[in-house]
Amino acid sequence: MYKYVDRYIINGKNRLKGEIKIDGAKNAVLPILAATIINKSESLIHNVPGIKDVDILCGILDSLGCKCHFQNDVLIVDSSAISNVDIPEKSVREMRSSIVLMGAILTRYGQVKISYPGGCEIGPRPIDLHLMGLKKLGAKINETHGYIICECDKLKGTEIHLDYPSVGATENIMLAAVNAEGVTIIQNAAREPEILDLQDFLNKMGARITGGGSSTIKIEGVKRLNAVEHTIIPDRIVAGTIMSAAAVTGGDVVLNDVVVSHLKPIIAKFADSGCIINKYDNKVHFKANRRIKAIDIIKTLPHPGFPTDMQAQMMAAMVTAKGTSIFSETIFESRYKHAEELIKMGANIKIEGRTAIVRGVKTLTGAEVCARDLRGGAALTVAGLAAEGTTIVDNVDVHIDRGYDKLEEKLNNLGADIERGKV
Ligand code: UD1
């Protein structure tokens, strides 16, 4: 049967101007949704983005026996009656980050079964650090026929050193350790702002966690947790995507409801490219010249380095910049798929392993291109705004909608001309 997919039809060269509210962060809400499992009670969550990944995770929570009610940007999850500890294979395939449910279900139920997540669009994504952390806490792990079965009598606090500051592994260990006996210390923890948001959420529930946002996180296990109300932090990657869109169109945009400190690595690069960025308490005024300057080197690193989730959108900004930019992707192996599509639009990009050399061209030409992953899809949309004529971006619902809530409406409100169609 032929499956229809959504596409964007973009008429480029409109200058973006106006104000935009930045929604709650995808990468904060997903582990927080996993955390709702632990309290056996109600969680009231504000500023939840209307994105596909949230729908998928709510579907998984429902299948476990939780009740999710989502209206506007408020989500209520009641986890009092969980009846199932198997995470369906289809869900893990659909959303790899559902692996973060493992720690939460294990700490509540003493067992969890999940299918082994394979590679994904941006390369292989092993989970050895997740499993090592859970084992150290006392879980017995059996890997058979593509499934991981995790069991424990009682998790016990311990010291865990991560060889690499993995975001997902840090979150999984935090979730598992909340109810463990004694104290857990995570060394070389990920320092992303979303980790601190998870800590805040869990502490409001009654957990005792300190150090979130630094390399050392301390979790004192507690016996009881309670109902919780929380507001999700703004999405720094959505904010960065809007900045890229403003940068390629010589735009003048005010981004409201942001946390300026979370945006520092992104703002620093746009400032180097000649954009004028004024920072206020919770907003940023972003102005770009007609043609921005290339940036010598953009190297993706764990936070507070430049985020890998902004590499593609930054590349879309650099393809029409004056001069040559060099990208170095150190986090994921196959994260340059958008480059092939940008080349169809007239970009001059050479890929050598994990390095991309981008020689700025004066303008791009509209073409039919295909989103191959979430951020790559956002990058093609940004490039379409800079291109002469019409650009078609395919696979919008498959990839872009996973992490952006109606991106086209947001950009159109700033003066873009994007229509959503089907093919
Ligand atoms: C999270 C984000 C994703 C972002 C990434 C890096 C969510 C839902 N997703 O993904 O958007 O791009 O952080 O900022 O928050 N690794 C191992 N073994 C492990 C775990 C990870 O080798 O057990 C490697 C990965 O293959 C990758 C690197 O560590 O090369 C970073 O991965 P990680 O920080 O775990 O990213 P995710 O949590 O999957």
Side-chain angles (χ1 to χ4, degrees):
M1 198 176 66
Y2 190 76
K3 185 179 169 289
Y4 290 98
V5 291
D6 286 9
R7 54 166 39 175
Y8 281 158
I9 301 132
I10 306 170
N11 290 309
K13 292 285 179 201
N14 291 304
R15 180 168 181 250
L16 296 197
K17 194 166 172 24
E19 299 205 14
I20 178 170
K21 176 201 176 296
I22 301 301
D23 295 336
K26 166 176 107 52
N27 288 354
V29 76
L30 297 180
I32 282 176
L33 282 181
T36 62
I37 291 175
I38 304 177
N39 65 352
K40 302 182 185 165
S41 183
E42 219 173 67
S43 302
L44 174 58
I45 312 168
H46 300 271
N47 204 29
V48 175
I51 55 175
K52 212 166 158 183
D53 271 7
V54 167
D55 293 342
I56 297 172
L57 198 42
C58 284
I60 302 176
L61 291 177
D62 283 338
S63 77
L64 299 175
C66 294
K67 287 186 186 70
C68 298
H69 180 74
F70 191 16
Q71 203 168 25
N72 300 322
D73 66 349
V74 179
L75 177 62
I76 299 171
V77 184
D78 177 355
S79 67
S80 52
I82 288 190
S83 50
N84 180 14
V85 294
D86 289 4
I87 305 167
E89 187 182 343
K90 181 175 159 281
S91 316
V92 184
R93 235 188 2 250
E94 236 177 341
M95 199 180 66
R96 202 195 162 281
S97 42
S98 51
I99 195 77
V100 80
L101 291 164
M102 217 167 40
I105 300 179
L106 184 69
T107 203
R108 170 149 176 197
Y109 262 95
Q111 55 173 309
V112 57
K113 183 176 168 200
I114 189 164
S115 76
Y116 205 92
C120 68
E121 316 86 39
I122 57 177
R125 292 175 91 164
I127 55 161
D128 52 315
L129 298 169
H130 300 240
L131 299 183
M132 178 277 291
L134 298 179
K135 265 188 204 159
K136 282 234 165 188
L137 287 168
K140 289 195 180 59
I141 297 176
N142 258 313
E143 296 175 59
T144 65
H145 306 295
Y147 279 93
I148 303 164
I149 300 159
C150 249
E151 284 168 318
C152 66
D153 289 334
K154 183 78 199 126
L155 294 174
K156 281 211 171 76
T158 185
E159 187 161 325
I160 298 167
H161 181 93
L162 294 178
D163 284 344
Y164 183 90
S166 152
V167 174
T170 303
E171 292 165 347
N172 239 333
I173 297 166
M174 283 168 79
L175 290 166
V178 161
N179 280 150
E181 214 173 86
V183 176
T184 301
I185 309 269
I186 311 174
Q187 302 281 14
N188 198 26
R191 291 182 284 165
E192 270 66 5
E194 293 76 21
I195 303 276
L196 182 55
D197 207 31
L198 177 61
Q199 168 179 299
D200 288 346
F201 179 80
L202 289 167
N203 284 347
K204 285 178 193 166
M205 224 187 228
R208 297 179 70 181
I209 310 177
T210 52
S214 79
S215 300
T216 306
I217 299 179
K218 181 176 171 193
I219 306 134
E220 290 175 58
V222 295
K223 288 214 169 79
R224 269 189 63 83
L225 294 160
N226 35 53
V228 56
E229 183 168 357
H230 182 76
T231 302
I232 300 292
I233 55 167
D235 197 312
R236 61 199 164 100
I237 305 302
V238 170
T241 305
I242 299 297
M243 287 184 202
S244 297
V248 294
T249 59
D252 181 348
V253 173
V254 174
L255 297 98
N256 290 316
D257 294 358
V258 296
V259 177
V260 175
S261 62
H262 296 172
L263 292 168
K264 272 187 190 166
I266 300 171
I267 286 178
K269 289 295 172 199
F270 279 117
D272 285 352
S273 76
C275 298
I276 297 160
I277 302 151
N278 290 312
K279 297 168 262 178
Y280 304 91
D281 275 356
N282 62 347
K283 71 176 178 183
V284 167
H285 184 183
F286 184 99
K287 260 172 101 169
N289 295 325
R290 274 272 157 227
R291 193 168 180 208
I292 59 171
K293 288 184 292 189
I295 300 170
D296 278 356
I297 180 123
I298 297 146
K299 185 175 187 174
T300 64
L301 285 169
H303 192 78
F306 187 82
T308 174
D309 286 352
M310 262 304 292
Q311 177 256 106
Q313 304 90 305
M314 188 54 108
M315 188 179 287
M318 288 303 126
V319 290
T320 49
K322 212 170 174 176
T324 299
S325 313
I326 295 177
F327 286 77
S328 169
E329 173 57 63
T330 75
I331 314 249
F332 291 111
E333 245 172 57
S334 318
R335 213 169 189 180
Y336 285 137
K337 289 189 178 148
H338 46 278
E340 278 170 43
E341 304 296 308
L342 290 170
I343 290 168
K344 289 183 192 160
M345 300 174 73
N348 182 345
I349 306 172
K350 290 221 158 42
I351 308 285
E352 293 277 351
R354 288 185 174 226
T355 304
I357 301 159
V358 180
R359 293 190 175 85
V361 293
K362 277 219 171 98
T363 191
L364 296 174
T365 318
E368 182 168 346
V369 290
C370 185
R372 312 268 203 95
D373 59 60
L374 163 60
R375 305 302 170 186
L380 298 176
T381 308
V382 168
L385 298 175
E388 304 266 7
T390 304
T391 299
I392 293 173
V393 180
D394 286 329
N395 264 349
V396 168
D397 51 337
V398 182
H399 292 300
I400 301 177
D401 289 348
R402 278 190 41 221
Y404 294 86
D405 183 5
K406 300 185 200 79
L407 182 59
E408 74 280 17
E409 278 183 17
K410 300 219 156 73
L411 293 168
N412 285 347
N413 286 339
L414 295 172
D417 177 358
I418 309 178
E419 202 187 308
R420 185 185 281 252
K422 284 213 179 284
V423 62

